[in-house]
Amino acid sequence: MRLKGKVAIVTGAGQGIGAATALKFAREGAIVAVCDLNHDAVFGVVSACRDAGVAADGFSIDVSDRDAVDDMVAKVLAKHHRIDVLVNNAGITRDARLQKMTLKQFDDVIDVNLRGVFHVAQAVVDTMIEQRAGVILNASSVVGIYGNYGQTNYAAAKFGVIGFTKTWSRELGPKGIRVNAIAPGFIDTPILSTIPEDVMAKMREQVPLRRLGTPEEIANIYAFLASDEASYINGAVIEASGGMTL
Ligand code: NAP
């Protein structure tokens, strides 16, 4: 068990990559705080984590609400007295071309995918510094490296997340904290549900492996990066895209 006894917060853990990550962490022995907007989804994942034999708690909160984030972190600390790992995974899309994008679409994505990541990292960092140990893992995307048609807001946020990762790895590395990001390609989760099937078929064709990734394949990378096996990986952006950007 690679994460035995570690206390981890996973945001956006009600479904998709976050849910797979929470469950993988639980199976690796971590105590998991499952955070998501969706109350029912949170408690389904909490129950699956407990079935894996670990303690798990659910927090039905919005990461763009700083007071709610601070409250969640305070509750995790009151119960477990430490925070070893943060997986900053919550993210949304509100796609439109530059000419059509509304300010609301722009703000909604920046609030969750960029400001939300900042909120949770800032809320846990003092604890990690006191511990002189911790791991922060951020969800970027291949879109945060190469951009993408129709995703001005999402690309800005995911490029920004890489900026956070590089900056925090410099600031926090000397204090014993590692910060890394994953840049997934196309992963088969509900976030892709609005994409028409003909576009999905073209997306699969773009990938040398000729398939989408699974949430579990990304969760495996988060588990490795969270573990002591990744002790010399800091400031990295791990692309997991089946080679789609070659
Ligand atoms: P997903 O299936 O849509 O899951 C995201 C989860 O985050 C949902 O349960 C969602 O809750 C929750 N969430 C949304 N806004 C939130 C907020 N403000 N506070 C707390 N929770 C919130 O997405 P996914 O595909 O697993 O993606 C996970 C992360 O990986 C995202 O950051 C995404 O940008 C990134 N990523 C995904 C792909 C991909 O192809 N799937 C590729 C690259 C990067 P609701 O359902 O209630 O909104």
Side-chain angles (χ1 to χ4, degrees), residues 90-109:
I92 59 170
T93 54
R94 298 288 183 268
D95 296 350
R97 281 183 294 122
L98 174 60
Q99 292 156 285
K100 300 268 184 189
M101 186 168 286
T102 64
L103 286 177
K104 177 155 176 35
Q105 287 174 315
F106 184 80
D107 288 343
D108 284 353
V109 169

Side-chain angles (χ1 to χ4, degrees), residues 66-133:
R66 181 54 187 265
D67 290 342
V69 167
D70 287 344
D71 186 55
M72 169 181 72
V73 169
K75 285 180 173 145
V76 172
L77 277 175
K79 191 161 177 189
H80 301 294
H81 314 293
R82 55 186 298 114
I83 296 171
D84 299 292
V85 185
L86 165 64
V87 182
N88 247 325
N89 166 78
I92 59 170
T93 54
R94 298 288 183 268
D95 296 350
R97 281 183 294 122
L98 174 60
Q99 292 156 285
K100 300 268 184 189
M101 186 168 286
T102 64
L103 286 177
K104 177 155 176 35
Q105 287 174 315
F106 184 80
D107 288 343
D108 284 353
V109 169
I110 298 299
D111 279 352
V112 177
N113 297 17
L114 194 64
R115 184 181 284 269
V117 170
F118 168 76
H119 281 170
V120 196
Q122 201 175 47
V124 302
V125 72
D126 286 345
T127 299
M128 289 185 175
I129 289 172
E130 277 167 31
Q131 294 167 180
R132 291 205 66 79

